[in-house]
């Protein structure tokens, strides 16, 4: 069996086969990877516990698949092209050979610092090649990485470090983002006040901002590399891992206040990310592939690092932001490195579209053959702009739908092979069995229907548990519908059987493609000393997709509402990070609650959306009058 699907008929045949004989199908896919020892059993599962095991007994190391196995043929091929924040700084290229050397070197640094198989390592780094190197070095020795996105606060880092009992943190002095310098080490220092498990911090030099280095705990990345060099730069053989050993933890938001550590394992994740990368983007050996995500999110894990590298691809990594020095930066990068495949998020597309066509019209984008979109629903206007201005009408767009918990893409066009419709994720990839359910738990069959999106059957890349709390994993994903994985998304299946994701049906927001739980934001707002209570909902935002709207009951001793708003924003930035700051804060004297004390978010959502004419039934409210007050306040806020 070929790894890549070649035609629509081939897709249909492969899909059919993958549903009829899933184990045979996935064994065939897994045969395209390098295993030290073959598995005994392809799949062992039930969604009740849940128990999900793929390729049990199989032994491997994912870095041998991403690096070693390519050296003979592709040793001198660029594995990573790195484009810095500042276009005047030189870009860097790491060939597969060089990347392997650096990964082994840093893996030895980790070992020298006492890290062994199974230890948890927190990584808080900017988008520099060393981030990919650190991730792969952990995988090399079987340490479990937990990457924390550089936009999260000290408190968020501390929560994640403590939840996973990390022994070591890898960070840098600072990071560059546009004109800003962010002091990462000092944020880590604040976090570590609360973290007993951390014995060592490795600090990379990037911005050379002054940092405090604590004797006995903090060491410089560069010094540690020198030590390994003076030891004669020994190789670092890959640790042999079981297919079901943990590869990494990545925290993500849900409908409760506390982010959960999604756990992915070595074998299944490798097979799934590699397979989906090769297929969705139809990667060809000479192509340059550019994913604009941050490695701090799942998209970066799966489609900057593991997926592309396991397929011997050239993966371009960008440190900066799409709008600096101007809104043409991504197109400059495409032109400079002759990028063939571009994978980005609707928020980026919308903000560049809003900046005007002058930033793109004079750029040579002729190298582009395929486009991808990820992380949030793409509106038709943005889809068409992407298609016409960037793809020049002949680069297929893969609108890829998936989640942190999925490991890789589940529903998406296969570029150039399966059909596309603006705003549609279209068809499930082989091995993926979507099903729609109504609120009562009945499956909705047939076409031209909508419902809550579930998966009937496991796939190798799916989460295995939530770190340290298996029951939470069961509750969140496997308890809503019997024997189903529940995604939390609503979905339409049109007359032709094509899927269109309609957005979250739970209390999770998607702001600029970042997942944020409303409960999490409420908890942070409620930390502010003047806040009595708050309720957070999403509302449509022209660039971010969704904005954060907070209704806040505050103590009345503050006369300047705007100052209080700023204080609340500051509090949220401290507790979660700037990405969770509300876009709008409306002060209210009460919240619409049922007699049992439940906040009726449906009403708040409508008010935030500006749809006040039809609020539905408000007679069950404890105090219907509060709704009128909130409506008037919202009107005022809109100005
Ligand atoms: C949303 C990102 C519409 C969805 C890879 C999902 C999308 C959540 C799409 C997961 C898409 C992701 N169209 N919605 N193509 N891709 N989503 O975990 O609501 O950061 O549940 O994973 O983003 O976000 P996460």
């Amino acid at each position: 069996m070929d790894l890549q699907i070649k035609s629509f008929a081939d897709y249909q045949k492969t899909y059919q086969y993958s549903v009829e004989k899933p184990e045979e199908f996935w064994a065939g896919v897994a045969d395209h990877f390098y295993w030290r020892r073959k598995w005994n059993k392809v799949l062992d599962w039930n969604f009740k516990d849940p128990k999900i095991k793929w390729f049990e007994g199989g032994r491997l190391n994912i870095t041998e698949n991403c690096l070693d196995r390519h050296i003979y043929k592709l040793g001198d091929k660029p594995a990573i092209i790195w484009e810095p924040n500042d276009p005047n700084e030189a870009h860097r290229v790491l060939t597969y050979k060089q990347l392997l050397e650096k990964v082994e070197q840093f893996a030895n640094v980790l070992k020298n610092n006492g890290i062994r198989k199974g230890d948890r390592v927190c990584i808080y780094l900017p988008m520099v090649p060393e981030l990919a190197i650190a991730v792969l070095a952990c995988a090399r020795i079987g340490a479990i990485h937990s990457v924390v996105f550089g936009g999260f606060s000290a408190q968020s880092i501390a929560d994640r470090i403590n939840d996973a009992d990390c022994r070591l943190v890898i960070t840098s002095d600072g990071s560059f983002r546009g004109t800003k310098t962010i002091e990462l080490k000092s944020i880590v220092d604040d976090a570590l006040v609360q973290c007993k498990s951390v014995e060592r911090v490795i600090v990379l030099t990037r911005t050379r901002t002054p940092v405090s280095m604590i004797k006995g705990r903090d060491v410089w990345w560069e010094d540690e590399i020198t030590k390994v060099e003076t030891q004669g730069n020994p190789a670092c053989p890959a640790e042999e891992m079981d297919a079901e050993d943990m590869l990494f933890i990545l925290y993500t938001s849900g409908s409760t206040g506390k982010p959960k550590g999604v756990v992915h394992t070595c074998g299944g994740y490798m097979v799934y990310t590699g397979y989906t990368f090769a297929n969705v983007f139809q990667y060809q050996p000479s192509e340059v592939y550019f994913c604009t995500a941050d490695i701090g999110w799942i998209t970066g894990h799966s489609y900057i690092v593991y997926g592309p590298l396991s397929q011997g691809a050239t993966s371009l990594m960008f440190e900066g932001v799409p709008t600096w020095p101007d809104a043409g930066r991504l197109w400059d990068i495409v032109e400079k490195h002759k990028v063939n495949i571009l994978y980005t998020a609707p928020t980026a597309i919308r903000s560049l579209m809003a900046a005007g066509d002058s930033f793109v019209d004079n750029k040579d984008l002729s190298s582009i053959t395929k486009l991808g979109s990820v992380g949030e629903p793409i509106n038709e206007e943005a889809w068409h702009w992407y298609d016409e201005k960037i793809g020049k009408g002949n680069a297929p767009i893969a609108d890829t739908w998936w989640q942190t918990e999925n490991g890789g893409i589940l529903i998406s066009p296969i570029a150039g092979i399966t059909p596309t419709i603006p705003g549609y994720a279209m068809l499930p990839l082989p091995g993926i069995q979507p099903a729609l359910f109504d609120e009562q738990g009945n499956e909705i069959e047939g076409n031209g229907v909508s419902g809550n999106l579930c998966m009937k059957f496991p796939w190798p890349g799916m989460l295995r548990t939530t770190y340290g709390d298996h029951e939470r994993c069961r509750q969140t994903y496997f308890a809503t519908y019997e024997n189903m994985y529940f995604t939390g998304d609503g979905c339409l299946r049109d007359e032709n059987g094509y899927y269109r994701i309609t957005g979250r049906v739970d209390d999770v927001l998607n702001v600029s493609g970042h997942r944020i739980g409303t409960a999490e934001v409420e908890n942070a707002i409620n930390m502010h000393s003047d806040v009595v209570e708050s309720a957070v909902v999403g509302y449509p935002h022209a660039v971010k997709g969704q904005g954060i709207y907070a209704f806040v009951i505050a103590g009345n001793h503050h006369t300047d509402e705007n100052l209080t708003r700023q204080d609340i924003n500051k509090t949220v930035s401290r507790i979660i990070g700037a990405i969770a700051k509300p876009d709008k804060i409306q002060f209210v004297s009460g919240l619409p609650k049922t007699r049992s004390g439940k906040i009726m978010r449906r009403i708040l959502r409508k008010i935030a959306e500006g749809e006040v004419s039809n609020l539905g039934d408000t007679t069950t409210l404890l105090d219907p009058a509060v709704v009128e007050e909130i409506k008037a306040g919202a009107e005022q806020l809109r100005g």
Side-chain angles (χ1 to χ4, degrees):
M1 157 186 166
D2 280 344
L3 195 68
Q4 276 177 330
I5 289 163
K6 299 279 184 311
S7 64
F8 189 53
D10 189 11
Y11 162 76
Q12 288 173 307
K13 210 176 78 207
T14 307
Y15 186 78
Q16 193 66 26
Y17 172 55
S18 77
V19 171
E20 280 164 11
K21 302 214 159 106
E23 299 178 22
E24 243 177 58
F25 167 73
W26 284 116
V29 174
D31 275 335
H32 286 268
F33 293 79
Y34 171 67
W35 300 80
R36 293 242 189 123
R37 181 181 179 280
K38 218 171 156 135
W39 52 88
N40 305 322
K41 195 168 182 208
V42 178
L43 173 63
D44 183 14
W45 73 289
N46 73 65
F47 277 173
K48 199 165 57 59
D49 295 342
K51 173 177 79 177
I52 300 129
K53 290 185 174 176
W54 283 93
F55 311 114
E56 231 180 327
R59 310 282 294 175
L60 76 150
N61 186 290
I62 195 167
T63 69
E64 281 187 334
N65 281 272
C66 289
L67 301 169
D68 307 63
R69 72 163 170 156
H70 302 314
I71 296 303
Y72 180 63
K73 274 196 187 155
L74 307 175
D76 296 324
K77 176 176 175 172
I80 291 178
I81 299 176
W82 175 74
E83 183 61 31
N85 177 60
D86 184 342
N88 295 317
E89 187 182 338
H91 71 271
R92 284 169 65 188
V93 176
L94 290 173
T95 64
Y96 271 94
K97 216 159 49 196
Q98 290 165 333
L99 182 58
L100 174 59
E101 270 167 29
K102 293 210 176 285
V103 167
E104 290 195 83
Q105 214 175 31
F106 193 67
N108 280 325
V109 167
L110 292 174
K111 283 203 226 164
N112 285 347
N113 283 280
I115 296 302
R116 297 286 173 268
K117 179 176 175 180
D119 287 340
R120 274 81 58 209
V121 172
C122 172
I123 304 178
Y124 188 67
L125 279 173
M127 279 287 286
V128 289
E130 285 74 13
L131 170 50
I133 292 165
V135 160
L136 292 164
C138 286
R140 187 83 178 166
I141 63 170
I144 298 159
H145 56 79
S146 165
V147 183
V148 177
F149 171 62
F152 279 117
S153 68
Q155 183 63 50
S156 295
I157 300 169
D159 291 345
R160 286 158 173 74
I161 288 176
N162 289 335
D163 189 73
D165 266 324
C166 294
R167 293 187 59 195
L168 183 133
V169 180
I170 306 167
T171 188
S172 68
D173 45 3
S175 76
F176 294 122
R177 281 183 72 72
T179 53
K180 280 190 255 170
T181 303
I182 301 150
E183 302 196 347
L184 298 188
K185 171 62 164 63
S186 119
I187 299 172
V188 167
D189 286 336
D190 288 345
L192 292 189
V193 172
Q194 302 179 51
C195 304
K196 289 203 182 63
S197 58
V198 174
E199 296 155 19
R200 183 74 80 231
V201 181
I202 300 178
V203 185
L204 175 81
T205 306
R206 175 62 186 128
T207 54
R208 204 49 192 99
T209 341
V211 295
S212 83
M213 293 292 283
I214 306 296
K215 193 179 289 166
R217 189 193 71 184
D218 302 350
V219 295
W220 292 105
W221 174 297
E222 293 77 7
D223 289 349
E224 294 303 296
I225 294 290
T226 309
K227 277 187 210 159
V228 171
E229 280 167 351
T230 50
Q231 288 161 0
N233 235 347
C236 180
E239 184 80 29
E240 189 173 292
M241 306 294 283
D242 193 272
E244 281 300 333
D245 279 339
M246 265 186 220
L247 175 63
F248 67 84
I249 307 169
L250 184 59
Y251 287 83
T252 191
S253 297
S255 42
T256 63
K258 194 174 156 250
K260 42 190 180 283
V262 169
V263 170
H264 287 288
T265 55
C266 297
Y269 177 82
M270 168 183 78
V271 169
Y272 198 70
T273 52
Y275 180 71
T276 50
F277 174 78
N279 275 291
V280 169
F281 300 109
Q282 288 288 303
Y283 183 79
Q284 304 303 313
S286 62
E287 286 182 322
V288 175
Y289 160 86
F290 176 19
C291 168
T292 69
D294 192 292
I295 294 177
W297 307 107
I298 192 67
T299 305
H301 282 63
S302 301
Y303 298 113
I304 293 179
V305 183
Y306 290 115
L309 296 181
S310 83
Q311 299 309 302
T314 296
S315 181
L316 194 151
M317 204 178 148
F318 173 42
E319 182 185 34
V321 294
T323 46
W324 188 79
D326 65 37
R329 186 66 198 280
L330 293 188
W331 322 131
D332 289 335
I333 296 174
V334 168
E335 192 175 89
K336 177 173 168 189
H337 298 287
K338 303 205 167 33
V339 169
N340 305 107
I341 307 171
L342 177 69
Y343 190 28
T344 192
T347 292
I349 298 168
R350 284 189 294 263
S351 77
L352 299 180
M353 180 171 83
D357 293 350
S358 61
F359 293 101
V360 57
D361 282 342
N362 56 345
K363 304 289 155 68
D364 178 6
L365 305 181
S366 58
S367 56
I368 286 189
T369 57
K370 283 156 279 189
L371 296 170
S373 171
V374 62
E376 41 175 331
I378 181 164
N379 50 308
E380 285 195 30
E381 198 192 351
W383 195 98
H384 285 296
W385 188 83
Y386 200 32
D387 177 41
E388 284 155 29
K389 286 288 163 187
I390 310 307
K392 311 293 178 199
N394 53 34
I397 299 177
D399 178 358
T400 65
W401 174 84
W402 58 297
Q403 314 174 292
T404 303
E405 295 85 346
N406 306 158
I409 300 164
L410 297 195
I411 306 182
S412 169
I414 295 176
I417 286 183
T418 59
T420 61
I421 302 172
Y424 279 68
M426 302 304 287
L427 294 168
L429 295 181
I432 301 307
Q433 301 187 32
L436 301 182
F437 281 80
D438 67 18
E439 299 289 341
Q440 284 71 46
N442 306 308
E443 181 168 358
I444 310 167
E445 284 172 286
N447 289 342
V449 293
S450 298
N452 290 344
L453 179 61
C454 293
M455 297 294 151
K456 282 186 171 178
F457 196 84
W459 61 98
M462 76 186 296
L463 88 163
R464 301 300 194 261
T465 188
T466 46
Y467 192 82
D469 194 349
H470 195 61
E471 172 56 16
R472 187 159 177 217
C473 172
R474 192 189 68 80
Q475 276 286 341
T476 313
Y477 307 105
F478 301 94
T480 316
Y481 299 103
E482 212 183 319
N483 276 322
M484 293 288 151
Y485 165 83
F486 176 41
T487 64
D489 277 322
C491 184
L492 161 83
R493 183 167 54 219
D494 78 359
E495 285 69 23
N496 299 307
Y498 298 140
Y499 290 86
R500 179 194 181 114
I501 309 301
T502 50
R504 301 288 305 195
V505 294
D506 54 9
D507 291 322
V508 174
L509 305 180
N510 195 325
V511 181
S512 302
H514 301 154
R515 249 168 94 166
I516 300 171
T518 53
E520 232 180 305
V521 183
E522 286 165 7
N523 287 350
I525 293 175
N526 296 349
M527 300 279 276
H528 185 276
S529 59
D530 287 341
V531 171
V532 179
E533 198 180 0
S534 64
V536 164
V537 297
Y539 72 99
H541 188 288
V543 172
K544 298 176 174 186
Q546 261 187 322
I548 302 178
Y549 197 121
F551 297 89
V552 175
I553 307 176
N556 52 14
H557 63 275
H558 268 279
T559 44
D560 189 333
E561 284 200 341
N562 269 331
L563 266 180
T564 310
R565 280 197 183 92
Q566 287 172 29
D567 292 344
I568 289 174
N569 277 333
K570 191 86 188 172
T571 312
V572 174
S573 298
R574 277 254 174 238
I575 304 295
I576 306 175
I579 52 169
K581 272 192 314 204
D583 299 276
K584 288 187 182 176
I585 296 174
Q586 181 184 342
F587 292 105
V588 296
S589 67
L591 292 166
K593 286 188 179 170
T594 61
R595 289 192 180 88
S596 59
K598 232 181 113 205
I599 297 173
M600 289 190 76
R601 286 163 191 285
R602 174 177 59 79
I603 293 176
L604 293 177
R605 237 175 264 132
K606 289 227 153 149
I607 294 175
E609 283 165 13
E611 265 185 53
V612 289
S613 54
N614 180 21
L615 290 182
D617 185 13
T618 56
T619 53
T620 55
L621 287 180
L622 195 60
D623 174 18
V626 81
V627 174
E628 291 310 312
E629 181 216 298
I630 299 174
K631 264 165 54 177
E635 205 52 55
Q636 227 180 358
L637 197 63
R638 253 191 298 279

